[in-house]
Amino acid sequence: MTIRIDQQSCDGCVRCLAACPYGGIDIADGKAVLNLRCTHCGTCLDACPQGAILSDAGTRRIPDFSEYRGVWVMAQQEAGGLHPVSLELLGKARELAEHLGQDVSALLLGDRVEPLVGALFAAGAQQVHLVEHPALAGYRTLPFSRAAAQVIQSQKPEILLVGATPMGRDLAPRLARRLGLGLTADCTGLEIDAQERILRQTRPAFGGNVMATIVGRYSRPQVATVRPGIMKPLPPEPGRQGRLLRHNVHIPSQDLRTTLLKTIQVPRSGVDLTSARVIVAGGRGVGNMAGFALLEELAGVLGAELGGTRVAYESGWIPHERQIGQTGVTVRPDLYVAVGLSGAIQHRAGMLDSRFIVAINKDRAAPIFDVADFALVGDFSKIVPAVISAAQEA
Amino acid sequence: MRIFVLVKQVPDSTEIKIDPRTGNLLRQGVAAIMNPEDRHALQAAVELAAQVGESSVTVLTMGPPQAIDVLTEALACGADKAVLLTDELFAGADTWSTSGVLARAIQHLGGAHLVLAGRQAIDGDTAQIGPQVAEALGMEQATYVQEIEYLDGELEVERRMGEHLERLCLPLPALVTVVAELNVPGHPRLDLLLLACQDRAPIEILNAADLGFKAQEVGLAGSLTEVVETFSPKSARETEFLEGSPAEMAAALLGRLKAAKLLHKGGLE
Amino acid sequence: MSGKTLNLKAKVRPPPRIRSDAPRMVRQVFHRFTEEEVIPRAQAIDESRAFPRELFKMLGDMNAFGVRYPRNKGGAGGSTTIFCIICEELARGLVSLAAEYAMQCLMGTNFLFHYGNAEQHERYFLPAMKGEKVTAFCMTEPDNSSDLTGCKTSAKRDGEDWVINGVKTFVTNGPVADLFTVLVQTRPGSRGKGLNFCLVPREAPGLSVSRAFATLGTWSTEMSELALSDVVIPAQNMLLPPGTGMRALLSIVAEIRTMTAALGLGLARAAYEASVRYARERYQFGRLIKDYQLIQAHMANMATNIYASELMVRDCCARIDRGESPLNLSSMTKYFVCETACNAADRATRVLGGYSYSMDYPVQRYYRDSRFLLYGGGTHEILQSTIGRTLLR
């Protein structure tokens, strides 16, 4: 695709500058012009009130999707039970379904998994589509893709939500490609567009420094993955009933060539940041292991768990299960103390819902201060010891 | 064994800054780098090719012309051949469109026994391209892989699935996406780097027409999703800057935490 | 999708010739190497006062020592431009590593490469390229340094062999080197005509290497004295045809000076970058110190001189790569850029205040290391007189 700006109709209103995620447009002599950073992505097209931004992409016809109905959630399993993210997504699905005036369904795939159906009803599913097959005992990509594709093709849901667990992120793209579906990963916000009645999917994008809202107008179901901990489950209603629909699927032997040799339980580190009430987290600015030893001391005084950013994990300062953010865990403690981390959106996406946020950073312009309740500007290696001794005296 | 490695040029997000006044990205001078996990995939490919023998490593990227730099670097790290898929028509592609182009290119280039890629790119974090290319090529797949062994035409891999590890035996052809725990990538070699900058470097450049695509089949026009809005998230929080010496700031902070009932005697509950 | 539509179809076009720009790629790769491998270790290496073998081997694995030599002979097929970019980037992290690197690439291996036989290439040159053997270059003597024609280390014929006697000092890499290229006088009293270079392996009987000197800066560049007492070397170790020593030396003088300038440029950048970072973070009296005009003046001075230095280094490199031997221009470049480095290091200590006086931060190292650049590659006093003498000739 190629973008051009019609210099005749451009009135220099600069709306396109704000829309461009790449900084690809400049204003020269009162007119918008593309610069070298323009990637011709087309995000600016709808921003121009003058219609001065042109592309060679023709207007696309949106197919008739009226027979697609229902908001579905992939019921994922973990250690014989349901993964919490499935229950969280059922909560979100209820909200979306109410806007559309449609039903909520769960898609449950496995071998002898019917005992889980009740928990899905209790968490908000009005229908459960159940597929039981010996080839579905334990997750493998191809049999699960085969089974899910067959049910989705026959039942035609409008929306499918999948938890962004390693399994969900393995399955959802495979399934979307097979069925020709648009897919948005790791959404942090989902809502129904009031006019078009399509799913608005919001996630950090373009290097994680802006939020982007994405829609899929040209395929159904609209598929989105959501990380655990982002959505809130409904209060469970034990004993709640719904419709159970069983489906038979055919899984050919060619789907079974990959074999699971063994499963190894990783010894649990005992770390569960998602339930921590207080978290002390560090980033690049902490600089080294000695810096993190100081944070650990602070965490000890505050009764907190220690966490960190992607950089902290990649630098080997914290183990992966303590990484917070878009590619780590999402947390919502009562108190979040951010030390020496700038607060890129990817990190903020994982901690923004904390009740109180304290930020310690020597760069007054760091974006973490935009989301902090209390900001301490200065060298953390001086401030943290002061906080430790103040807390010990308190 | 014909091995393909999918790589992506990404902005070095650790260097991105935000203008505190306008909230806009400051992009000038932000370096473009090879996506970190792709370096691990490339290292694995070069090691596997050496182990198996009679193998070739072709590194493939789709991007603007300047993405050539990641291919140059890949050649300097031991890849045998590099292919750049570039065309203004590819711009604005979502993962559906991108995976379709990458898969078509692999077929165009003779097909693969093994495709390796990083688990996800740091500028998108979608982790979708790997599985989607695998599907488009009808290959076996394994994602989140942290150990690869080649045994007689099959791969034994170990993948991290959250709370547990799985060991899988995959028949070829297969696509494997890898995480950083897999290996330690070496630095590029200077002689290979300089060779890769020369005209005679083994770099092939393909556009949409070379791969038999029509304009409306690729890029934004060939995508199933599109970005309709971008915004900087605004916080509703009122930020209070605590001033003074470290001790004064610490005292002020402790006072605020007490007032918010976050602090109790002997530390926090 | 709004608006009008342009008509652009997929067209079959000839494949464009798209290639990366070599100097930019080399800078990118060694920038990252410096950020990832050198800077995190720099303080510890400096304080250890020991030759950084681990990093040296890494550079060997990257074939970085081969930058000046052709690919088919074990080199990397680069140029002086590429060589100086690497020197500059490494010096940004740790000047002593960059100095050791440059010694191995240029003075330590140049005559071995150009005049050594196949066996010597196999035994010394190829391992040196891999970073497995360390090389050193011995010119300076206790009584004379810049005046090379006064070389007193003697080589006397003894049948098929040569017998070497003399003392060399300030030998960079001396305590760790496996092979020394030694400047000798084969015809005492002949001034330049009898100069030659010979290879002396470390294990040669009669060779003794002193302990590393205590120095002001570049702590991990070990320097020592070398005493040669009736050291016998075979004829093939006397590298040059008689009477060509001076010309051979002159062939690399411009490159040595330009390389030394590149080290200075790297150091100046490190000092400048540390100052910019600090000025943007440090608050005094409620303002960032970057908002004070005296700080801005430091920045303006450093950046302007760095810009000029960059152009001078780039121009000298381009001239050498074109086959010129810019003796006087490279002297000016070495003089200007290394003064810039000393000046930038000094200014950085003023911007960072007390933090530059603490041994826990790198600015003190920039300041100490900058003094090395004043002497290595020709003192600025001698350089100024040769520049002036040449201009007025």
Side-chain angles (χ1 to χ4, degrees):
Chain A
M1 191 173 72
T2 305
I3 302 293
R4 301 266 186 278
I5 297 177
D6 177 12
Q7 299 292 303
Q8 301 292 307
S9 27
C10 174
D11 65 354
C13 73
V14 312
R15 284 187 181 85
C16 53
L17 267 66
C20 178
Y22 296 104
I25 309 176
D26 293 328
I27 298 290
D29 297 331
K31 304 277 185 189
V33 287
L34 302 178
N35 63 35
L36 285 174
R37 289 192 292 274
C38 170
T39 69
H40 300 267
C41 71
T43 307
C44 57
L45 286 170
D46 293 325
C48 181
Q50 305 298 319
I53 304 182
L54 311 176
S55 90
D56 55 317
T59 310
R60 285 169 72 181
R61 211 173 50 82
I62 297 173
D64 175 18
F65 291 124
S66 55
E67 56 181 328
Y68 287 81
R69 294 185 64 78
V71 181
W72 282 30
V73 170
M74 179 70 71
Q76 285 155 252
Q77 294 146 58
E78 177 189 59
L82 287 169
H83 192 289
V85 73
S86 307
L87 310 180
E88 293 162 16
L89 291 184
L90 282 169
K92 187 68 187 182
R94 273 288 279 273
E95 178 196 318
L96 299 174
E98 275 162 26
H99 279 282
L100 291 167
Q102 297 177 2
D103 285 348
V104 171
S105 299
L107 174 58
L108 179 60
L109 309 175
D111 184 29
R112 282 170 286 181
V113 287
E114 197 175 333
L116 301 175
V117 168
L120 293 168
F121 288 138
Q126 288 150 302
Q127 302 177 45
V128 173
H129 296 271
L130 175 66
V131 181
E132 291 186 302
H133 192 293
L136 301 175
Y139 174 72
R140 273 179 293 166
T141 310
L142 295 183
F144 268 67
S145 307
R146 179 80 62 180
Q150 285 176 27
V151 179
I152 289 165
Q153 269 178 320
S154 71
Q155 299 300 309
K156 297 187 169 33
E158 167 128 46
I159 289 171
L160 172 65
L161 305 180
V162 183
T165 60
M167 177 228 155
R169 300 174 104 223
D170 189 82
L171 175 64
R174 184 101 199 189
L175 185 61
R177 178 83 217 174
R178 181 166 298 185
L179 296 175
L181 308 176
L183 168 63
T184 307
D186 297 351
C187 299
T188 54
L190 294 170
E191 58 182 4
I192 301 297
D193 184 90
Q195 284 182 336
E196 285 191 76
R197 297 176 61 76
I198 55 176
L199 185 63
R200 288 171 61 86
Q201 307 156 107
T202 299
R203 72 185 303 271
F206 303 113
N209 289 279
V210 289
M211 303 297 286
T213 300
I214 295 164
V215 300
R217 291 190 172 105
Y218 306 104
S219 59
R220 289 294 180 279
Q222 302 161 78
V223 192
T225 69
V226 180
R227 297 191 74 84
I230 302 268
M231 304 300 175
K232 287 210 175 84
L234 299 170
E237 296 177 56
R240 195 170 161 276
Q241 291 299 311
R243 278 179 68 202
L244 177 63
L245 298 131
R246 291 168 199 277
H247 301 278
N248 290 318
V249 294
H250 171 63
I251 298 175
S253 61
Q254 81 212 41
D255 283 358
L256 306 172
R257 292 165 64 223
T258 289
T259 49
L260 178 62
L261 300 173
K262 62 176 165 184
T263 301
I264 307 155
Q265 285 304 319
V266 182
R268 279 194 74 108
S269 52
V271 182
D272 184 11
L273 291 186
T274 56
S275 59
R277 289 188 52 203
V278 185
I279 292 174
V280 173
R284 172 182 299 271
V286 175
N288 51 38
M289 285 303 288
F292 266 86
L294 191 57
L295 297 202
E296 205 160 355
E297 198 184 332
L298 176 63
V301 173
L302 297 178
E305 285 287 351
L306 188 66
T309 61
R310 182 173 67 81
V311 171
Y313 160 61
E314 285 175 354
S315 305
W317 302 332
I318 53 161
H320 189 250
E321 60 264 26
R322 291 186 186 273
Q323 184 193 330
I324 296 163
Q326 173 86 348
T327 51
V329 292
T330 303
V331 298
R332 48 178 89 205
D334 288 336
L335 175 60
Y336 191 90
V337 184
V339 184
L341 62 87
S342 66
I345 283 185
Q346 284 146 321
H347 182 74
R348 284 188 272 160
M351 47 68 76
L352 207 51
D353 287 337
S354 306
R355 195 151 73 88
F356 279 93
I357 298 173
V358 174
I360 301 172
N361 197 302
K362 57 183 173 178
D363 181 2
R364 188 170 284 249
I368 190 68
F369 287 136
D370 297 342
V371 299
D373 297 284
F374 304 116
L376 288 76
V377 182
D379 185 345
F380 88 93
S381 66
K382 302 213 160 44
I383 295 174
V384 169
V387 175
I388 290 172
S389 53
Q392 279 165 338
E393 285 162 21
Chain B
M1 183 159 63
R2 265 199 312 281
I3 308 175
F4 278 74
V5 184
L6 308 178
V7 302
K8 185 179 188 188
Q9 188 180 48
V10 296
D12 188 353
S13 65
T14 59
E15 289 191 15
I16 291 180
K17 290 230 154 151
I18 294 180
D19 186 327
R21 214 167 28 81
T22 62
N24 289 335
L25 287 185
L26 297 172
R27 293 182 189 75
Q28 266 143 352
V30 174
I33 57 169
M34 187 190 299
N35 180 51
E37 284 178 344
D38 300 351
R39 286 169 70 189
H40 297 273
L42 175 61
Q43 178 76 20
V46 171
E47 286 171 10
L48 278 171
Q51 183 205 329
V52 175
E54 292 188 20
S55 295
S56 65
V57 175
T58 303
V59 53
L60 185 61
T61 195
M62 180 177 118
Q66 56 268 32
I68 192 75
D69 286 354
V70 294
L71 298 183
T72 304
E73 184 181 336
L75 289 171
C77 290
D80 302 298
K81 187 183 167 187
V83 181
L84 172 64
L85 310 173
T86 190
D87 198 316
E88 286 183 353
L89 293 167
F90 291 150
D94 69 356
T95 63
W96 160 265
S97 171
T98 304
S99 59
V101 172
L102 291 170
R104 178 85 65 91
I106 291 172
Q107 284 165 336
H108 176 90
L109 295 161
H113 300 107
L114 174 62
V115 182
L116 289 164
R119 174 192 48 160
Q120 61 191 26
I122 57 170
D123 65 341
D125 292 325
T126 73
Q128 286 170 196
I129 291 296
Q132 295 196 325
V133 170
E135 171 66 22
L137 293 172
M139 287 181 170
E140 300 288 328
Q141 83 181 43
T143 51
Y144 289 80
V145 167
Q146 59 178 23
E147 213 180 290
I148 302 179
E149 264 183 273
Y150 175 85
L151 304 157
D152 289 336
E154 289 184 329
L155 292 180
E156 197 176 314
V157 303
E158 186 169 288
R159 57 194 300 248
R160 179 136 207 164
M161 297 290 282
E163 295 296 321
H164 65 275
L165 304 176
E166 285 180 359
R167 282 195 84 85
L168 295 174
C169 182
L170 292 176
L172 296 178
L175 182 144
V176 173
T177 74
V178 309
V179 294
E181 284 77 6
L182 180 68
N183 54 31
V184 180
H187 289 283
R189 282 180 63 92
L190 182 62
D191 49 342
L192 300 178
L193 186 73
L194 294 171
L195 207 56
C197 296
Q198 295 182 1
D199 268 356
R200 61 191 162 115
I203 297 175
E204 191 171 343
I205 294 165
L206 298 172
N207 65 18
D210 295 331
L211 297 173
F213 284 111
K214 298 195 183 79
Q216 68 271 23
E217 292 174 335
V218 293
L220 182 61
S223 293
L224 297 173
T225 59
E226 59 198 301
V227 176
V228 289
E229 190 188 343
T230 59
F231 57 95
S232 282
K234 288 276 178 283
S235 165
R237 290 178 204 259
E238 290 258 334
T239 305
E240 183 188 358
F241 280 85
L242 307 178
E243 308 284 352
S245 70
E248 288 162 356
M249 283 193 269
L253 176 64
L254 268 289
R256 303 295 192 284
L257 296 183
K258 263 187 219 162
K261 303 222 184 307
L262 279 163
L263 194 68
H264 302 262
K265 189 128 192 84
L268 287 146
E269 278 193 339
Chain C
M1 188 118 334
S2 70
K4 304 161 230 173
T5 299
L6 296 172
N7 188 20
L8 275 160
K9 288 263 147 48
K11 278 177 267 186
V12 180
R13 281 164 279 179
R17 289 234 72 86
I18 303 172
R19 290 294 181 269
S20 299
D21 176 53
R24 196 168 45 79
M25 283 309 292
V26 170
R27 189 176 289 282
Q28 197 176 309
V29 164
F30 284 88
H31 185 90
R32 192 171 74 210
F33 180 82
T34 298
E35 294 291 323
E36 287 180 2
E37 311 286 2
V38 182
I39 290 175
R41 294 178 172 88
Q43 178 97 359
I45 289 173
D46 193 52
E47 285 172 1
S48 76
R49 302 191 185 219
F51 182 78
R53 287 206 180 266
E54 189 191 3
L55 286 176
F56 202 74
K57 184 74 185 71
M58 280 169 136
L59 289 167
D61 291 340
M62 295 170 79
N63 200 354
F65 296 119
V67 58
R68 297 174 61 256
Y69 303 117
R71 203 169 9 249
N72 58 5
K73 302 242 172 87
S79 60
T80 301
T81 301
I82 300 294
F83 173 46
C84 286
I85 287 170
I86 299 173
C87 290
E88 180 193 329
E89 283 299 330
L90 294 178
R92 209 170 51 80
L94 183 61
V95 171
S96 46
L97 175 71
E100 291 146 5
Y101 166 76
M103 169 61 74
Q104 183 92 344
C105 294
L106 178 53
M107 297 85 84
T109 53
N110 185 70
F111 300 107
L112 164 65
F113 175 77
H114 287 290
Y115 301 97
N117 60 26
E119 191 256 329
Q120 287 161 337
H121 273 214
E122 189 68 29
R123 188 145 163 218
Y124 298 115
F125 180 72
L126 296 179
M129 292 300 101
K130 294 187 184 125
E132 292 161 1
K133 285 210 157 104
V134 180
T135 61
F137 190 56
C138 318
M139 292 215 302
T140 304
E141 298 181 359
D143 296 335
N144 59 80
S145 55
S146 294
D147 175 19
L148 297 169
T149 55
C151 172
K152 291 202 179 95
T153 300
S154 67
K156 289 202 180 74
R157 206 80 218 209
D158 180 18
E160 288 298 296
D161 299 331
W162 289 89
V163 180
I164 317 291
N165 278 288
V167 179
K168 296 287 178 180
T169 193
F170 288 111
V171 178
T172 295
N173 290 356
V176 291
D178 301 291
L179 181 74
F180 301 88
T181 300
V182 182
L183 178 72
V184 292
Q185 178 61 269
T186 59
R187 289 161 56 195
S190 75
R191 304 284 298 164
K193 292 220 171 62
L195 291 178
N196 207 324
F197 288 103
C198 65
L199 295 179
V200 179
R202 183 179 195 88
E203 62 275 12
L207 175 75
S208 61
V209 182
S210 77
R211 284 198 337 202
F213 300 156
T215 50
L216 171 66
T218 58
W219 284 347
S220 71
T221 299
E222 299 187 34
M223 272 183 237
S224 64
E225 197 169 87
L226 199 69
L228 301 115
S229 166
D230 289 331
V231 172
V232 178
I233 56 163
Q236 73 259 24
N237 280 27
M238 190 60 70
L239 291 171
L240 308 181
T244 60
M246 204 66 202
R247 201 170 41 185
L249 181 59
L250 277 176
S251 72
I252 59 166
V253 165
E255 198 175 354
I256 293 172
R257 290 184 184 147
T258 306
M259 170 276 289
T260 313
L263 302 183
L265 181 54
L267 180 84
R269 277 196 209 284
Y272 169 73
E273 285 164 11
S275 304
V276 168
R277 262 197 311 277
Y278 188 78
R280 284 180 176 155
E281 287 168 5
R282 174 73 169 176
Y283 274 84
Q284 283 291 286
F285 305 106
R287 293 160 77 183
L288 283 170
I289 64 167
K290 76 182 172 69
D291 294 328
Y292 291 100
Q293 288 186 334
L294 284 176
I295 298 295
Q296 293 163 359
H298 283 309
M299 299 302 168
N301 183 289
M302 283 191 257
T304 306
N305 282 304
I306 287 171
Y307 181 41
S309 300
E310 188 185 323
L311 297 181
M312 292 174 85
V313 170
R314 199 191 295 168
D315 180 61
C316 275
C317 287
R319 287 172 185 274
I320 295 168
D321 287 337
R322 285 199 300 264
E324 294 175 29
S325 185
L327 282 174
N328 221 33
L329 291 176
S330 63
S331 299
M332 295 180 197
T333 300
K334 196 265 162 179
Y335 166 52
F336 181 86
V337 178
C338 293
E339 289 291 344
T340 292
C342 290
N343 186 270
D346 179 32
R347 286 178 188 268
T349 65
R350 296 161 197 264
V351 174
L352 275 88
Y355 287 103
S356 61
Y357 201 59
S358 159
M359 295 306 273
D360 293 337
Y361 295 86
V363 175
Q364 48 81 21
R365 190 179 75 236
Y366 305 154
Y367 186 76
R368 289 184 292 104
D369 287 357
S370 70
R371 308 309 285 184
F372 166 78
L373 300 165
L374 283 181
Y375 323 122
T379 71
H380 287 193
E381 285 60 38
I382 288 190
L383 283 181
Q384 285 177 79
S385 36
T386 55
I387 293 165
R389 200 170 56 227
T390 307
L391 294 173
L392 297 169
R393 196 158 52 198

